[in-house]
Each structure stands twice: as C-alpha cells, then as structure tokens.
Amino acid sequence: KAGVTQTPRYLIKTRGQQVTLSCSPISGHRSVSWYQQTPGQGLQFLFEYFSETQRNKGNFPGRFSGRQFSNSRSEMNVSTLELGDSALYLCASSSGGRGPPTDTQYFGPGTRLTVL
Amino acid sequence: AQSVAQPEDQVNVAEGNPLTVKCTYSVSGNPYLFWYVQYPNRGLQFLLKYITGDNLVKGSYGFEAEFNKSQTSFHLKKPSALVSDSALYFCAVRDTKDSSYKLIFGSGTRLLVRP
C-alpha cells in the first residue's frame, strides 16, 4: 500500500504571497491532519479533517486554512506569507472514524516551505 | 491542558549498549501514547503506541516502551543500540477526551549512537 504523499516537496515563496500544499492519504484513510515543524516551536498541530469536515483546529491565525475533498485528499493554504511561516509542513493520515481515536497516524515526507 | 515533556535534548550511547529516551505526559483523560522517529529531511516514522492493556509495548526495529501511569511516563528503550538508530525521536500523546486525531508532541530527543 502506498504511503502518504505530499506535493511539492520543496517550495520557495516571498513575503505576501500565498501557497497551497497538497496531501494524498493512504488509500482508505479518511482522516488527514496537518502539522507545522520549526526548530523553535517544534511540531505543532494545525488542523484535522475527516469526511470533508474540519474536526479540530490548532492555534494558528486565519491565514492558515485547509480543506478535504471527497476522495480524502487534502490541501492547506497559507495566505499573505510571513518569514516565520518557513517550516516543514507535515501531513498525516489515519483511518479515522467516529469511535475513540486509537488509530496510528502515518506521516508523509513533508513540504519544506521557505519564505524569503 | 495536554503536554508532553522530553527532558533530554540529546542522548549519547555506545553501540551495543542499552538506550533509554525519556518521556512524560499530562492529559485530562487517559492517554494514547506514541513514539515516532525522524531521519534528516524525512517525515515522521511510527515506532510504537500504547492504547490500553499490557504496560510494555513492543514496536519496530527492536524498540519497546513502558507505560507507567503513576509516573505519567512512557520511556522508549532498546536493549542494544545500533549506529543506524541515530535520529530524532518524538513522543506524542492523544487525550481520550479529545475525539479528534490531534497529537501533542514533545520537543524531541536527538539520539547519537557512537561506534
């Protein structure tokens, strides 16, 4: 079974621009979560989507948004980029479901975003 | 509030010696606990998890972890370290009171295994 894929792997943008990152979960997985990894703040939860609905959201400004499509693929968008948005953005998928969240999240390789 | 602490930024061990990477947690409900490993320029790779049951959990690549409820700890262990185990290790917790799959991560511990 193919793993979680993320595109693009690397991205360079300038301040003020916007960016869209894409994530394709493991086949059959319906929950997709996004995390930001920086040297200073570590790994921080951005949001989680399940069945095209945002189920949970972290403490990030409204410039960070996401969505999930009917095939469970997900995108996240960052508008009006700031230097501090430079980070590794990781997507994770799990089978999801409405019971206790016991399933493992499997991570993609990440998208390295550099904001100049 | 949920939190995870990894008190050591770095752990150094010699190849062949046992290793321990420490993790303590705080949640309002019961914890689901996870260990992940990250190699340079890569995503996170799942090692093992504790959901319920036996406090000793065995995972990938010979790693194991022991859940201790009274000490709110979930330390990662391996009986004999390999140079290839050198990487960044993350402990993470999910609160059973939270219906989502959100993970709270520790700050990470860099493991260096010297030949």
Side-chain angles (χ1 to χ4, degrees):
Chain A
K1 205 181 248 190
V4 179
T5 58
Q6 293 187 244
T7 55
R9 292 292 311 278
Y10 301 91
L11 210 46
I12 299 175
K13 293 285 187 179
T14 56
R15 280 178 296 174
Q17 287 187 310
Q18 76 161 15
V19 67
T20 299
L21 312 181
S22 182
C23 171
S24 292
I26 292 170
S27 178
H29 283 189
R30 297 167 62 195
S31 168
V32 173
S33 297
W34 289 89
Y35 296 84
Q36 181 196 63
Q37 185 178 21
T38 60
Q41 300 298 316
L43 279 154
Q44 293 187 286
F45 172 78
L46 280 156
F47 27 66
E48 183 216 356
Y49 286 87
F50 175 75
S51 292
E52 302 178 66
T53 301
Q54 189 179 86
R55 189 156 63 174
N56 205 337
K57 188 177 189 306
N59 293 326
F60 279 82
R63 300 185 297 107
F64 291 81
S65 63
R67 60 177 176 169
Q68 186 180 35
F69 302 96
S70 59
N71 61 357
S72 294
R73 190 178 70 85
S74 177
E75 289 181 346
M76 68 162 280
N77 184 277
V78 188
S79 63
T80 321
L81 284 166
E82 301 177 358
L83 295 178
D85 297 334
S86 294
L88 180 67
Y89 289 88
L90 293 163
C91 167
S93 80
S94 56
S95 57
R98 302 190 187 280
T102 59
D103 296 340
T104 299
Q105 280 187 321
Y106 295 94
F107 284 78
T111 294
R112 173 77 61 185
L113 172 64
T114 302
V115 182
L116 303 176
Chain B
Q2 307 156 1
S3 65
V4 176
Q6 292 181 244
E8 300 154 318
D9 290 337
Q10 184 163 307
V11 170
N12 298 308
V13 298
E15 188 173 31
N17 282 1
L19 70 87
T20 298
V21 183
K22 296 179 180 177
C23 171
T24 59
Y25 66 89
S26 174
V27 294
S28 55
N30 289 315
Y32 297 140
L33 293 155
F34 301 80
W35 276 101
Y36 287 86
V37 60
Q38 187 175 37
Y39 294 96
N41 300 315
R42 303 282 293 276
L44 301 181
Q45 186 174 329
F46 170 71
L47 284 177
L48 51 79
K49 68 180 178 182
Y50 171 81
I51 301 300
T52 188
D54 194 350
N55 289 342
L56 184 63
V57 179
K58 294 189 182 296
S60 306
Y61 312 116
F63 284 94
E64 59 187 31
E66 185 163 14
F67 171 63
N68 187 316
K69 187 172 184 177
S70 63
Q71 296 186 4
T72 61
S73 67
F74 189 56
H75 301 330
L76 181 71
K77 301 181 180 184
K78 187 174 182 181
S80 178
L82 299 173
V83 173
S84 58
D85 292 331
S86 298
L88 189 56
Y89 290 80
F90 290 96
C91 180
V93 70
R94 189 183 288 152
D95 193 334
T96 57
K97 287 194 172 184
D98 190 341
S99 61
S100 83
Y101 279 72
K102 169 185 173 181
L103 283 172
I104 302 297
F105 284 89
S107 55
T109 297
R110 188 164 302 280
L111 174 65
L112 287 177
V113 182
R114 59 185 184 276

